[in-house]
Amino acid sequence: MTDNARTNFIGGQWVGDPDGDVRMQRSPIDGSEIGPVTWSSRGAAQRAIDAAQIAQARWRKVSTWDRARAMQRIGAAIAANREDLARLLTLEQGKPFAEAYFEVGKSVDGFNLAADLVKYLEGSTIPTEDPTKRVMTFYQPRGVYAVVTPWNFPVNIPVEYIAPGLAAGNTIVWTPAPSTALIAAALVRVISEADIPPGILNLVTGAGAVVGDEIVSNAGTNGVGFTGSAATGKVIAQRAAGKPQLMELGGNGPVVILPDADLERAVTATASGCFANAGQVCSSSERILVHRAVYDEFAARMAEKARAVVLGDPRKDGTTMGPLNNASVAEKVGQHVNDALERGAKAITGGKRPDNALSPLYFEPTILTGVSREAIINTEETFGPVAPLLVFDTDEEAFDMARDNRYGLVSSVFTQDIDRAFRYVEEMPTGIVNINDTSNYWELHIPFGGLSGKDSGMGRVGGKHALMAMCDLKTATFTVR
Ligand code: NAD
């Protein structure tokens, strides 16, 4: 393609990149063309960093109240464009329109929440041993933030960094996942129309290993916010060594079904945790440990839920699951399911790509029984609409199976015994444990992140936690004479 797209937003201007490339974006729904995307060079990323640095000098001096007002204006602008943004989100990402509409709504809430919370980002005064000393602390913006984000929630995940980051006085250079670059550009266009200073938010589209690498490693950025895979997170951790880093990486459950669980509640919550966003969620119900006493009944009821999913064009009313977002995730899902089947699992429903689909990216909602602990679908994150059911007999065995995994993001436990629930909360090797609810339960202000020592990330996003993480805590000391 020779037509130069302008999906980079640098210093308040929409620009292409003479040293970059332009590629046509296609919809996962049916492969149709959506529009051109700039695949930028490192030079474009450098120009965006320069613009963010220039804007930073002024933005950090804008009063907290004025920054909060700007966040509210952005929230209002997104709300006014909610439907259009949701339509493009569905077209480019593949999720059903209702899910897209919900996601865009949460991004409105994200800016309003940052506007509220930044006003209460209080430091402290600290009593001292030395009677002549007075000590206080306060939060200051770190400077320019590099933000790199995935394609599964391409509106809300960036806002988890952009809203608190801007509210706190940082400026931002954002690189979105290439397969959702157009919804990123549409979001930035709406934000830019909310009367904000040029250069405080810059967008650079293109390959993660080029522009993402440049913004995280460049000496001109002061902090990194990254959500994505553990593999990329580990590369970035090295490339951005020494900078403060917030990292939200992969997850792999588990969901634990105990014999005294309210089975209807457990099945409904687990099915929604498996099939929302076609399973492309870091907190998905990726592996399900079921007590032997209820295994067969749980499996049969899960199969009923899977058969009730309406797979198809996500733009249509009534569709509850669309395609996977891209070829590499579709290939991974197929490989993990086949590996489980080869190791003796059975697909009691689903298990393959449907016939006559609009594109090769659709995958049937799948329930696998008899899954072995060695199966890749148990050991690795799959990111598809698949419920692998494993059996256990004792709590100790469930704890062992839960621990025997490199991920540690979100787990769910279903039981009516409060003492047992508390024991599971303490034993589960995950940053979040949901009792009697879907693993996808989440609200914007709740701390969200992985357990230390696992491959699920470091730090916590969510409400005041992201605000504090994206600031330096400055200590000032005085002497009274
Ligand atoms: P990915 O790691 O492949 O890509 C994420 C982003 O990193 C993309 O923008 C990509 O372009 C960029 N990137 C790739 N290589 C890079 C490099 N060398 N340097 C800098 N940037 C680079 O992940 P994905 O497939 O887009 O997203 C899925 C993953 O994200 C899953 O593992 C999922 O669990 C995780 N995720 C985690 C959370 C959470 O909150 N913990 C939320 C959503 C998704």
Side-chain angles (χ1 to χ4, degrees), residues 148-153 157 160 175-178 206-210 212-213 216 226-233 235-236 248-251 281-282 326 381 383 407 409 448 456 461:
V148 181
T149 54
W151 45 262
N152 62 335
F153 291 94
I157 287 175
E160 286 182 331
T175 297
V210 179
D213 180 75
V216 301
F226 172 71
T227 298
S229 65
T232 306
V235 171
I236 290 178
E248 298 296 326
L249 310 180
V281 188
C282 54
N326 56 68
E381 182 186 52
F383 236 49
Y407 291 107
L409 191 59
F448 190 93
S456 290
V461 291

Coordinates of all heavy atoms in Angstrom, one line a residue, residues 148-153 157 160 175-178 206-210 212-213 216 226-233 235-236 248-251 281-282 326 381 383 407 409 448 456 461, ligand 1:
V148 N 2.2 0.3 27.1 CA 2.1 -0.7 26.0 C 0.9 -1.7 26.4 O 0.9 -2.2 27.5 CB 3.4 -1.5 25.9 CG1 3.3 -2.5 24.7 CG2 4.6 -0.5 25.6
T149 N 0.0 -1.9 25.4 CA -1.2 -2.6 25.8 C -1.6 -3.7 24.8 O -1.2 -3.6 23.7 CB -2.4 -1.6 25.9 OG1 -2.5 -0.8 24.7 CG2 -2.2 -0.6 27.1
P150 N -2.4 -4.6 25.3 CA -2.8 -5.8 24.4 C -4.1 -5.5 23.7 O -4.7 -4.4 23.8 CB -3.0 -6.9 25.4 CG -3.6 -6.2 26.6 CD -3.0 -4.8 26.6
W151 N -4.6 -6.5 22.9 CA -5.8 -6.4 22.1 C -7.1 -6.9 22.7 O -8.1 -6.8 22.1 CB -5.5 -7.1 20.7 CG -4.9 -8.5 20.9 CD1 -3.6 -8.8 20.9 CD2 -5.6 -9.7 21.3 NE1 -3.4 -10.1 21.2 CE2 -4.6 -10.7 21.5 CE3 -6.9 -10.0 21.6 CZ2 -4.9 -12.0 21.8 CZ3 -7.2 -11.3 22.0 CH2 -6.3 -12.3 22.1
N152 N -7.0 -7.5 23.9 CA -8.2 -8.1 24.3 C -9.2 -7.1 24.9 O -10.4 -7.3 24.8 CB -7.9 -9.3 25.3 CG -7.2 -8.9 26.6 OD1 -6.5 -7.8 26.6 ND2 -7.3 -9.6 27.6
F153 N -8.7 -6.1 25.6 CA -9.6 -5.0 26.1 C -8.9 -3.7 25.6 O -8.3 -3.0 26.4 CB -9.8 -5.0 27.6 CG -10.7 -6.2 28.0 CD1 -10.1 -7.3 28.5 CD2 -12.0 -6.1 28.0 CE1 -10.9 -8.4 28.9 CE2 -12.8 -7.1 28.4 CZ -12.2 -8.3 28.8
I157 N -8.2 -1.3 29.0 CA -6.8 -1.6 29.6 C -5.9 -0.3 29.4 O -5.3 0.1 30.4 CB -6.2 -2.8 29.1 CG1 -6.9 -4.0 29.7 CG2 -4.7 -2.9 29.4 CD1 -6.4 -5.4 29.2
E160 N -6.7 2.2 32.0 CA -6.2 1.9 33.4 C -4.9 2.5 33.7 O -4.5 2.7 34.8 CB -6.1 0.4 33.6 CG -7.4 -0.3 33.7 CD -7.3 -1.8 33.9 OE1 -6.3 -2.4 33.4 OE2 -8.1 -2.4 34.6
T175 N 1.7 2.8 23.0 CA 1.7 1.9 21.8 C 0.7 0.8 22.0 O 0.8 0.0 22.9 CB 3.1 1.3 21.7 OG1 4.1 2.3 21.5 CG2 3.2 0.3 20.6
P176 N -0.4 0.8 21.2 CA -1.4 -0.3 21.3 C -1.0 -1.5 20.6 O 0.0 -1.5 19.7 CB -2.6 0.4 20.7 CG -2.0 1.2 19.6 CD -0.7 1.7 20.1
A177 N -1.7 -2.6 20.8 CA -1.4 -3.8 20.0 C -1.8 -3.6 18.5 O -2.8 -2.9 18.3 CB -2.2 -5.0 20.5
P178 N -1.0 -4.0 17.6 CA -1.2 -3.7 16.2 C -2.6 -4.1 15.7 O -3.3 -3.4 14.9 CB -0.2 -4.5 15.4 CG 0.9 -4.7 16.4 CD 0.3 -4.8 17.8
G206 N 2.2 0.5 15.5 CA 3.2 -0.3 14.8 C 3.6 -1.5 15.6 O 2.9 -1.9 16.6
A207 N 4.7 -2.2 15.2 CA 5.1 -3.4 15.8 C 5.6 -3.2 17.2 O 6.4 -2.3 17.5 CB 6.2 -4.1 15.0
G208 N 5.2 -4.0 18.2 CA 5.6 -3.9 19.5 C 7.1 -4.0 19.7 O 7.7 -3.2 20.4
A209 N 7.7 -4.9 18.9 CA 9.2 -5.1 19.0 C 10.0 -3.9 18.5 O 11.2 -3.8 18.7 CB 9.6 -6.4 18.3
V210 N 9.3 -3.0 17.8 CA 9.9 -1.8 17.2 C 9.5 -0.6 18.1 O 10.3 -0.1 18.9 CB 9.5 -1.5 15.8 CG1 10.2 -0.2 15.3 CG2 9.9 -2.7 14.9
G212 N 7.1 -0.3 20.5 CA 7.0 -0.6 21.9 C 8.3 -0.7 22.6 O 8.5 -0.1 23.7
D213 N 9.2 -1.4 21.9 CA 10.6 -1.5 22.5 C 11.2 -0.1 22.7 O 11.9 0.2 23.7 CB 11.5 -2.4 21.6 CG 12.9 -2.5 22.2 OD1 13.0 -3.2 23.2 OD2 13.8 -1.8 21.7
V216 N 9.7 1.9 25.7 CA 10.0 1.4 27.1 C 11.5 1.5 27.4 O 11.9 1.7 28.6 CB 9.6 -0.1 27.3 CG1 8.1 -0.2 27.1 CG2 10.3 -1.1 26.5
F226 N 2.7 -1.7 31.5 CA 2.5 -2.8 30.4 C 1.5 -3.8 30.8 O 1.5 -4.3 31.9 CB 3.9 -3.5 30.2 CG 3.8 -4.7 29.3 CD1 3.6 -4.5 27.9 CD2 3.8 -6.0 29.8 CE1 3.4 -5.6 27.1 CE2 3.7 -7.1 29.0 CZ 3.5 -6.9 27.6
T227 N 0.6 -4.1 29.9 CA -0.3 -5.3 30.1 C -0.1 -6.1 28.8 O -0.2 -5.6 27.7 CB -1.8 -4.8 30.2 OG1 -1.9 -4.0 31.4 CG2 -2.7 -6.1 30.3
G228 N 0.1 -7.4 29.0 CA 0.3 -8.3 27.9 C 0.8 -9.6 28.4 O 0.6 -10.0 29.6
S229 N 1.5 -10.4 27.5 CA 1.9 -11.7 27.9 C 3.2 -11.7 28.8 O 3.9 -10.7 28.8 CB 2.3 -12.5 26.6 OG 3.4 -11.9 26.0
A230 N 3.4 -12.8 29.5 CA 4.5 -12.9 30.4 C 5.8 -12.9 29.6 O 6.8 -12.3 30.0 CB 4.4 -14.3 31.1
A231 N 5.8 -13.5 28.4 CA 7.0 -13.5 27.6 C 7.5 -12.1 27.2 O 8.6 -11.7 27.4 CB 6.8 -14.3 26.3
T232 N 6.5 -11.3 26.8 CA 6.8 -9.9 26.4 C 7.2 -9.1 27.7 O 8.1 -8.3 27.7 CB 5.7 -9.2 25.7 OG1 5.3 -10.0 24.5 CG2 6.0 -7.8 25.2
G233 N 6.5 -9.3 28.7 CA 6.7 -8.6 30.0 C 8.2 -8.8 30.5 O 8.8 -7.9 30.9
V235 N 10.8 -9.5 28.6 CA 11.7 -8.7 27.7 C 11.7 -7.3 28.1 O 12.7 -6.6 28.2 CB 11.2 -8.9 26.2 CG1 12.0 -7.9 25.3 CG2 11.4 -10.3 25.7
I236 N 10.5 -6.7 28.3 CA 10.4 -5.3 28.7 C 11.0 -5.0 30.0 O 11.7 -4.0 30.2 CB 8.9 -4.9 28.7 CG1 8.3 -4.9 27.3 CG2 8.7 -3.5 29.4 CD1 6.9 -4.5 27.2
E248 N 1.0 -6.1 34.1 CA -0.1 -7.0 34.3 C 0.0 -8.0 33.2 O -0.2 -7.7 32.0 CB -1.4 -6.1 34.1 CG -1.6 -5.1 35.1 CD -1.8 -5.6 36.6 OE1 -2.3 -6.7 36.7 OE2 -1.3 -5.0 37.5
L249 N 0.3 -9.3 33.6 CA 0.6 -10.3 32.6 C -0.4 -11.4 32.6 O -1.6 -11.1 32.9 CB 2.0 -10.8 32.9 CG 3.1 -9.8 33.1 CD1 4.5 -10.4 33.4 CD2 3.2 -8.8 31.9
G250 N -0.1 -12.6 32.2 CA -1.1 -13.6 32.0 C -1.6 -14.2 33.2 O -1.2 -14.0 34.3
G251 N -2.7 -15.0 33.0 CA -3.3 -15.8 34.2 C -3.7 -17.1 33.7 O -3.8 -17.4 32.5
V281 N -9.4 -13.3 28.2 CA -9.4 -12.5 29.3 C -8.3 -13.0 30.3 O -8.3 -14.3 30.4 CB -10.8 -12.4 30.1 CG1 -10.8 -11.4 31.2 CG2 -11.9 -12.2 29.1
C282 N -7.5 -12.1 30.9 CA -6.4 -12.6 31.7 C -7.0 -13.4 33.0 O -6.4 -14.2 33.5 CB -5.5 -11.5 32.2 SG -6.4 -10.2 32.9
N326 N -7.2 -12.9 16.5 CA -6.2 -13.0 15.5 C -5.7 -14.4 15.3 O -6.0 -15.3 16.1 CB -5.0 -12.1 15.9 CG -4.4 -12.4 17.2 OD1 -3.8 -13.5 17.4 ND2 -4.6 -11.5 18.2
E381 N -1.5 -20.7 29.7 CA -2.7 -19.9 29.4 C -3.1 -20.1 28.0 O -2.3 -20.0 27.1 CB -2.3 -18.4 29.6 CG -3.4 -17.4 29.4 CD -2.9 -16.0 29.4 OE1 -2.0 -15.6 28.7 OE2 -3.5 -15.2 30.2
F383 N -6.4 -18.8 26.5 CA -7.0 -17.5 26.0 C -8.0 -17.9 24.9 O -8.1 -17.2 23.9 CB -5.9 -16.6 25.4 CG -5.9 -15.2 26.0 CD1 -5.9 -15.0 27.3 CD2 -5.9 -14.1 25.1 CE1 -5.9 -13.8 27.9 CE2 -5.9 -12.8 25.7 CZ -5.9 -12.7 27.0
Y407 N 1.5 -19.3 36.6 CA 0.7 -18.1 36.7 C 0.1 -18.0 38.1 O -0.1 -19.0 38.8 CB -0.3 -18.1 35.7 CG 0.2 -17.9 34.3 CD1 0.3 -19.0 33.4 CD2 0.7 -16.7 33.9 CE1 0.8 -18.8 32.1 CE2 1.3 -16.5 32.6 CZ 1.3 -17.6 31.7 OH 1.8 -17.4 30.5
L409 N -2.7 -15.1 38.9 CA -3.4 -13.9 38.8 C -4.8 -13.9 39.6 O -4.9 -13.3 40.6 CB -3.7 -13.5 37.3 CG -4.2 -12.1 37.1 CD1 -3.3 -11.1 37.6 CD2 -4.4 -11.9 35.5
F448 N -5.7 -4.9 41.4 CA -5.7 -6.0 40.5 C -4.2 -6.3 40.1 O -3.6 -5.4 39.6 CB -6.5 -5.7 39.3 CG -6.8 -6.8 38.3 CD1 -7.9 -7.6 38.5 CD2 -5.9 -7.2 37.3 CE1 -8.2 -8.7 37.7 CE2 -6.1 -8.3 36.5 CZ -7.3 -9.0 36.7
S456 N 2.6 -13.5 36.5 CA 1.4 -12.7 36.3 C 1.6 -11.2 36.4 O 0.7 -10.5 36.3 CB 0.3 -13.2 37.1 OG -0.1 -14.5 36.7
V461 N -2.8 -2.5 39.4 CA -3.6 -1.4 38.8 C -4.9 -1.3 39.6 O -5.3 -2.2 40.4 CB -3.9 -1.6 37.3 CG1 -2.6 -1.4 36.5 CG2 -4.6 -2.9 37.0
Ligands
NAD1 P1 1.7 -9.5 23.9 O1 2.6 -9.6 25.0 O2 1.9 -10.3 22.6 O3 1.5 -8.0 23.4 C1 1.2 -7.0 24.3 C2 1.7 -5.7 23.7 O4 3.1 -5.7 23.8 C3 1.3 -5.4 22.3 O5 1.0 -4.0 22.2 C4 2.6 -5.8 21.5 O6 2.6 -5.1 20.3 C5 3.6 -5.3 22.5 N1 4.9 -5.9 22.3 C6 5.2 -7.1 21.8 N2 6.6 -7.3 21.8 C7 7.1 -6.2 22.4 C8 8.5 -5.9 22.7 N3 9.5 -6.7 22.4 N4 8.7 -4.7 23.3 C9 7.6 -3.9 23.7 N5 6.3 -4.2 23.4 C10 6.1 -5.3 22.7 O7 0.2 -9.9 24.5 P2 -1.2 -9.9 23.7 O8 -1.2 -11.2 23.0 O9 -1.4 -8.7 23.0 O10 -2.2 -10.0 25.0 C11 -2.5 -11.1 25.6 C12 -1.8 -11.3 26.9 O11 -2.1 -10.2 27.8 C13 -2.3 -12.5 27.7 O12 -1.2 -13.2 28.3 C14 -3.2 -11.9 28.8 O13 -3.3 -12.7 29.9 C15 -2.5 -10.6 29.1 N6 -3.4 -9.7 29.8 C16 -3.2 -9.5 31.1 C17 -4.0 -8.6 31.8 C18 -3.9 -8.3 33.3 O14 -4.5 -7.4 33.7 N7 -3.0 -9.1 34.0 C19 -5.1 -8.1 31.1 C20 -5.3 -8.4 29.8 C21 -4.4 -9.2 29.1

